[in-house]
Amino acid sequence: AQFSLNGLLGQRTPEKGYRGAPVIYDGRLTVDYGGGISQVSTTLFRAFFFAGLPILERHAHSYQVGYYKRPGLDAAVIQPYKDLKVLNDTPGALWIQASVQEGRLRFHLFGTKDREVAWEGPFITDRKPPLPPREIPDPTLPPGARKQVDFAAEGAKVVVRRRVRYGDGRVREDQVVSVYRP
C-alpha cells in the first residue's frame, strides 16, 4: 500500500483546527495555516527512511533549516504541491504510532521486520555562503523596532546513501539528494 501524508492530513484550514505558524514561502519565512507540518513530515520521513521503506516522493526544504540538525534528511510538504509518499513493501500491515513526550514528536513503526538498513552520510558538496542579511520594512512594528524572522543558512548539495538488505538476500541501494539554496 502507498502512504501519503497530504492524503492523510487533507487541507490545512482553521476550521480543521490548524493555526498559523512559520512556513517557507517564496524563499522567505512567513506565517500560514499548517506551518509546522514539515516538522511532522521530517520526523515521519526519518522513521520511514531508517525502516528501509521505499520513498516514492520527498522534497527538501528550499534552504537548510537549522533545527533539523542532520542536513539532507528533512521533508517539506505543501498541500497539494509537495507530499511525502512511501510504499509499504513489507509482507504485512504497517502500524504508525505517534506520541509527543516533553515537547518531542516521535513516530514508531510496527510491522513485519524483513530487512536490515545501513546508511551513510551526509555528504556535503557545492557549498555556497549564506546571503548577507537584509531588512524588510514591516509597518506592523513600532518605528525603529526590528524583529529577526529568519537566520542565515549556507547553500549546499547534500546526499545521504542507504542500503536495504532483505531477508531473502536482495539488496536495494538508494540515496536522498537535497539541494539547498543559500
Side-chain angles (χ1 to χ4, degrees):
Q2 181 176 300
F3 172 88
S4 162
L5 185 58
N6 277 338
L8 177 69
L9 298 177
Q11 293 285 20
R12 277 67 123 182
T13 64
E15 295 78 28
K16 290 189 174 183
Y18 288 94
R19 291 186 274 176
V23 297
I24 300 172
Y25 180 77
D26 199 24
R28 62 184 284 220
L29 206 57
T30 187
V31 174
D32 197 3
Y33 293 107
I37 293 297
S38 286
Q39 180 66 59
V40 174
S41 64
T42 292
T43 305
L44 189 54
F45 164 72
R46 289 177 179 188
F48 290 144
F49 180 82
F50 295 126
L53 297 173
I55 308 299
L56 303 176
E57 182 179 345
R58 172 261 174 196
H59 302 271
H61 285 81
S62 305
Y63 55 86
Q64 293 188 63
V65 179
Y67 52 83
Y68 290 145
K69 301 294 182 211
R70 195 176 289 144
L73 291 175
D74 58 302
V77 291
I78 302 170
Q79 180 78 316
Y81 311 106
K82 295 181 180 181
D83 199 356
L84 173 62
K85 292 182 180 177
V86 177
L87 179 67
N88 176 9
D89 68 341
T90 70
L94 187 63
W95 182 43
I96 304 168
Q97 181 184 46
S99 65
V100 177
Q101 298 170 349
E102 298 178 15
R104 291 183 175 261
L105 173 65
R106 296 180 191 274
F107 286 105
H108 299 277
L109 305 180
F110 298 91
T112 305
K113 183 170 174 64
D114 66 338
R115 64 197 69 189
E116 296 294 327
V117 178
W119 64 282
E120 58 182 355
F123 301 101
I124 303 172
T125 60
D126 301 330
R127 291 180 185 252
K128 295 176 180 67
L131 298 176
R134 71 179 175 152
E135 292 191 21
I136 301 168
D138 183 346
T140 65
L141 294 176
R146 291 179 162 172
K147 177 181 172 186
Q148 185 168 357
V149 295
D150 213 345
F151 299 85
E154 77 172 1
K157 179 178 179 181
V158 180
V159 176
V160 179
R161 296 187 187 110
R162 176 174 71 163
R163 175 183 285 238
V164 180
R165 182 177 303 278
Y166 294 86
D168 63 7
R170 288 178 297 131
V171 173
R172 178 173 45 85
E173 293 182 356
D174 58 14
Q175 61 185 12
V176 175
V177 179
S178 304
V179 178
Y180 302 105
R181 59 183 200 234

